[in-house]
Amino acid sequence: MFGKKLSAVLLSIAVVLSTVSCGKGKAEDYSSKRLATEAFGVAENGDYQYNGNDLKQLTEQDIQNMNGGNAIIVYDDDHKYVTTIIGKFYEKQVTDMESALDSLDGIASLLGFEKGVQFFGMYGEKNAQGYTHYTFQQRYGGITIQYSTLRIFIDPQGYVCGVSNSFVPDLGVADPKTMSNTDAEAIVQDVLNYNNVSAKIYSEYTKQVFYYEYDHIVNCMVVYSDNPYMDLSFDMPYLAHYVDIDENCYFLNIPTSNLNEGNGNIDEYNTDQYFANLEMQTWTGTVKYQDGHTEQISVPVSYNPKDGLYYLADKDRKIMVADCWNFIYNYFTLDCITSSNNQDWDNEYLITYYNYIRVFDFYASMGVRSIDGFGMPVLICVNYCDANKTPVDNACYMGRFVGWATFCSSKANYSNQAVDVIGHEYTHGVRDGSMGSAVYMNEQGAIHEAFSDVMGQLIEYKYGATTDTEWLHGEVSGRVVRSMSNPNLYSQPNYVGDLYYATPTRVDDVNVNDHGGVHINSSLMNEIAYKLSVYGMTIDEQINVWYNVLETLTPRGDYDDLYASLMFALRVYDLTQYELAINTIFDELGLTGDRIANAANATKPGCGRIRAKVSEAYRDYSISLYIPLQNNKYILAMPDERDDVIDVLIPAGVHYIYLYYRADLNEEPKLAALDANGNFFASEYDAAEITITEGQTIDLGTIQ
């Protein structure tokens, strides 16, 4: 049994869905085909009913009996409702979305369904093994609830074999207040002005949503802008600003890699028309890499008879290369990379283009054409820069701009030369297309980042594009940024509670806590992939397993759901010989059971431990202890989301301890220091030396 951090209360269902045949269909096809059904209900005696008739509810034991004891059932922390079932829970065959929803009749109480849930059919798809996935999004009074998705899995014989659930319970009857787009954007602009930052607001995407935070729903307007903290958020180019409608105030912001266009908007811009009059040709020649080696490559180019120029563009795949600044900062102007003779192409542009084609083809071979599976045109923006045309030392998936799946590549580094880096960015887009959205915080955010790392690494190995055997990330670019085999080398934990581990925390803040350590703790899932290779799983087997997991998880899925999804993938691909390895790896990494307790009890040779309690007055602040180490490394220690306790390993020796904090996102983060009197809010210049020995635990007191 597995537990997770989600509140659990009961709710019911009024269903909105649409029919779909096997094979992935476009979201806009479903939005125009809605079929309302009667709601689940609960009688006065507490019995579940459907259309007024008693509805037998299955127990956990019933499901285990149906599966010979082999079902995997994941509960929330309070053991009140189920988030994942791997196994059979319905006897009848399923042929479409409507009958897939019928399969939930007997597990409504386990999933926490009562009155008020609305299902919106998004898409159905069948994989090469014959398994069908039906994906639904949750609505409330016709408004989308962020990060609330449910997936039902059907085996090749047409029987239910699993469900993954991120739906939110206990919504009651929808009667939401409203706010105009203009008023919401004005509130966001005031916050941007207060923080003295400039960020473009994308008014066409402003809309009303419900945001689920821990144990309550916030009725919000969401306003999207550029992310002025891009250097801190890595490949999250936008901020989704949430304005609390009921309180008429700014609520929070979350970095995102995708402008949420909603359903029915994918083909609105007709971007494929840019390729209509082009003529396919080829460039063949030699490119040179940063380490001096050369490679002969061939890439498709396109000739435009209207202007007599050659374009670094692929008419078949619908991939085009253009300048970043003009597209991102000049009203989506396409300043395409061209040549008058098909000879004088820039070396870096060619390598970037070549690697994106390889990654595109990798996913296309798995049935996913472009990031959305529907062939959305891909735009590679070279010369990645900020609004002032200063080069950005990064590579990123920018999201969906006016019908383009948009990526950026910089000349400030050689990351475009590394297939694993390109695969990482492209996988961000594929995940967006598959899951729609994901919680970018704590465990969910770390899993999100790790998917891109793992798939990027596997793509690189699949193409034989590296001689690395240590599962390094970015090594071909000349700058390694992560090690999946030895995470400590790059300030990431080897296991839950290890040095550098970031415990799940209450407050989401990119500046103060890296959204709960999403880039820090990505090493945990990365290490699962590396360890599976040690156990003998081949690259092709891992590709199948991890892509199946990507197609199984829903947005709030954590490590418990990841475990269940991995086990499901092993069964789908007849790789059950690795089930024992998965169990062993999860135990080794401390991912089984209560992870907050596992972290607090973790040990490491040469280390001691420090603890501090956050007082009630500061529990809703963004707070982290910042502890500098040698070699430009540091520990970022944040309070856990359950008890507001900071409890982390620290190398034996002499340290200075700083407090990094702010009350809300409208303030600049502040830096203070722990002084000799135990005051956490001393001047940063008054930091006291703290000496810790191996095995010692020092209680620093209460942050108050």
Side-chain angles (χ1 to χ4, degrees), residues 19-25 30 95-97 123-126 132 134:
T19 57
V20 60
S21 60
C22 291
K24 194 167 184 177
Y30 309 135
T95 58
D96 54 25
M97 274 191 164
Y123 60 82
E125 56 184 326
K126 178 181 281 189
T132 300
Y134 290 114

Side-chain angles (χ1 to χ4, degrees), residues 39-104:
F40 285 101
V42 178
E44 290 184 3
N45 64 1
D47 291 340
Y48 273 76
Q49 295 182 329
Y50 185 74
N51 287 336
N53 299 316
D54 288 343
L55 188 61
K56 182 184 184 309
Q57 292 298 289
L58 299 177
T59 67
E60 177 186 325
Q61 188 58 55
D62 291 331
I63 295 174
Q64 291 295 356
N65 292 342
M66 294 172 70
N67 292 275
N70 292 319
I72 300 172
I73 303 175
V74 180
Y75 281 83
D76 73 299
D77 273 352
D78 296 324
H79 208 83
K80 290 184 177 178
Y81 76 97
V82 167
T83 57
T84 301
I85 297 174
I86 301 302
K88 186 178 181 180
F89 52 83
Y90 186 64
E91 297 290 354
K92 299 179 182 179
Q93 282 188 311
V94 169
T95 58
D96 54 25
M97 274 191 164
E98 183 177 6
S99 58
L101 287 179
D102 289 341
S103 74
L104 303 180

Side-chain angles (χ1 to χ4, degrees), residues 517-572:
V518 298
H519 297 96
I520 299 170
N521 289 347
S522 63
S523 59
L524 298 176
M525 192 180 108
N526 288 351
E527 204 168 359
I528 295 172
Y530 169 72
K531 286 178 176 287
L532 282 174
S533 73
V534 174
Y535 275 97
M537 188 177 284
T538 68
I539 296 302
D540 284 340
E541 289 170 342
Q542 288 230 41
I543 287 169
N544 289 331
V545 164
W546 286 109
Y547 184 72
N548 195 86
V549 171
L550 180 64
E551 290 283 274
T552 301
L553 280 177
T554 48
R556 293 191 180 92
D558 63 9
Y559 290 115
D560 301 329
D561 300 287
L562 177 66
Y563 170 87
S565 298
L566 279 165
M567 288 300 197
F568 180 48
L570 295 183
R571 297 175 187 183
V572 168

Side-chain angles (χ1 to χ4, degrees), residues 12-16 36-40 114-119 139:
S12 86
I13 340 184
V15 184
V16 179
T37 70
E38 296 295 326
F40 285 101
E114 204 181 290
K115 194 160 190 171
V117 178
Q118 293 178 325
F119 291 81
R139 297 287 183 89

Side-chain angles (χ1 to χ4, degrees), residues 234-310:
F234 296 83
D235 38 22
M236 295 292 150
Y238 312 117
L239 287 179
H241 304 265
Y242 292 87
V243 177
D244 188 326
I245 294 174
D246 297 322
E247 299 296 330
N248 194 39
C249 67
Y250 193 88
F251 176 47
L252 56 76
N253 66 62
I254 295 175
T256 179
S257 59
N258 187 29
L259 289 169
N260 192 339
E261 298 179 4
N263 295 318
N265 206 25
I266 293 175
D267 293 330
E268 176 180 321
Y269 300 101
N270 296 316
T271 44
D272 56 348
Q273 292 302 307
Y274 285 99
F275 300 89
N277 297 314
L278 299 180
E279 299 174 358
M280 290 288 291
Q281 297 197 22
T282 302
W283 178 88
T284 299
T286 300
V287 293
K288 184 176 181 179
Y289 289 80
Q290 56 82 27
D291 63 359
H293 87 273
T294 60
E295 180 182 4
Q296 185 169 24
I297 65 172
S298 291
V299 294
V301 296
S302 297
Y303 177 71
N304 186 351
K306 288 187 175 181
D307 59 17
L309 294 176
Y310 295 87

Side-chain angles (χ1 to χ4, degrees), residues 68-198:
N70 292 319
I72 300 172
I73 303 175
V74 180
Y75 281 83
D76 73 299
D77 273 352
D78 296 324
H79 208 83
K80 290 184 177 178
Y81 76 97
V82 167
T83 57
T84 301
I85 297 174
I86 301 302
K88 186 178 181 180
F89 52 83
Y90 186 64
E91 297 290 354
K92 299 179 182 179
Q93 282 188 311
V94 169
T95 58
D96 54 25
M97 274 191 164
E98 183 177 6
S99 58
L101 287 179
D102 289 341
S103 74
L104 303 180
D105 291 357
I107 60 171
S109 63
L110 284 175
L111 297 177
F113 292 168
E114 204 181 290
K115 194 160 190 171
V117 178
Q118 293 178 325
F119 291 81
F120 179 82
M122 293 183 67
Y123 60 82
E125 56 184 326
K126 178 181 281 189
N127 66 17
Q129 282 62 48
Y131 286 79
T132 300
H133 295 188
Y134 290 114
T135 299
F136 303 87
Q137 193 167 25
Q138 187 177 8
R139 297 287 183 89
Y140 180 57
I143 300 171
T144 300
I145 299 178
Q146 295 292 84
Y147 315 119
S148 295
T149 301
L150 181 141
R151 282 172 162 167
I152 301 172
F153 313 119
I154 314 300
D155 69 19
Q157 288 72 47
Y159 293 96
V160 169
C161 58
V163 62
S164 179
N165 173 36
S166 284
F167 271 29
V168 178
D170 198 29
L171 299 183
V173 179
D175 186 23
K177 297 179 183 178
T178 59
M179 174 185 286
S180 72
N181 290 13
T182 301
D183 288 345
E185 291 167 13
I187 290 174
V188 171
Q189 190 61 61
D190 285 345
V191 171
L192 294 172
N193 293 341
Y194 180 88
N195 285 280
N196 196 30
V197 295
S198 176

Side-chain angles (χ1 to χ4, degrees), residues 481-502:
V481 293
R482 282 180 288 280
S483 170
M484 298 167 73
S485 61
N486 188 3
N488 277 177
L489 291 176
Y490 297 91
S491 303
Q492 291 185 293
N494 282 306
Y495 50 86
V496 170
D498 186 25
L499 205 61
Y500 308 112
Y501 177 74

